[in-house]
Amino acid sequence: MLVYEAAMHGIEQGIGFEQSLMQNARVREALSQDELRAALDPATYVGHAPQIVDNVLAQQKADGWLN
């Protein structure tokens, strides 16, 4: 519900999602602005995908498929 409220607040006020979240007291109590920014960083959404790709490519090279 908090995320929905922040999203709607952002739309109504014409501000970005991060700014809207930081205007919420519950969010500010739980996260610093740097922590929130890190949580919203799309680069962190990929999880282990880069390591999985590296492992698959290494195995394919070892098997002679990629030269």
Side-chain angles (χ1 to χ4, degrees):
M1 191 61 139
L2 185 138
V3 171
Y4 174 80
E5 290 172 0
M8 295 308 295
H9 175 74
I11 290 169
E12 292 166 359
Q13 298 299 312
I15 58 176
F17 187 54
E18 180 182 336
Q19 185 179 357
S20 179
L21 283 168
M22 286 311 297
Q23 289 181 1
N24 184 292
R26 291 180 289 174
V27 173
R28 283 194 316 273
E29 289 173 8
L31 299 169
S32 70
Q33 187 159 5
D34 287 340
E35 291 169 326
L36 178 61
R37 190 169 287 132
L40 295 175
D41 181 359
T44 64
Y45 299 170
V46 296
H48 295 286
Q51 185 60 45
I52 292 169
V53 170
D54 290 344
N55 291 344
V56 169
L57 290 174
Q59 185 61 48
Q60 295 305 310
K61 286 180 183 178
D63 291 344
W65 285 91
L66 298 173
N67 289 324

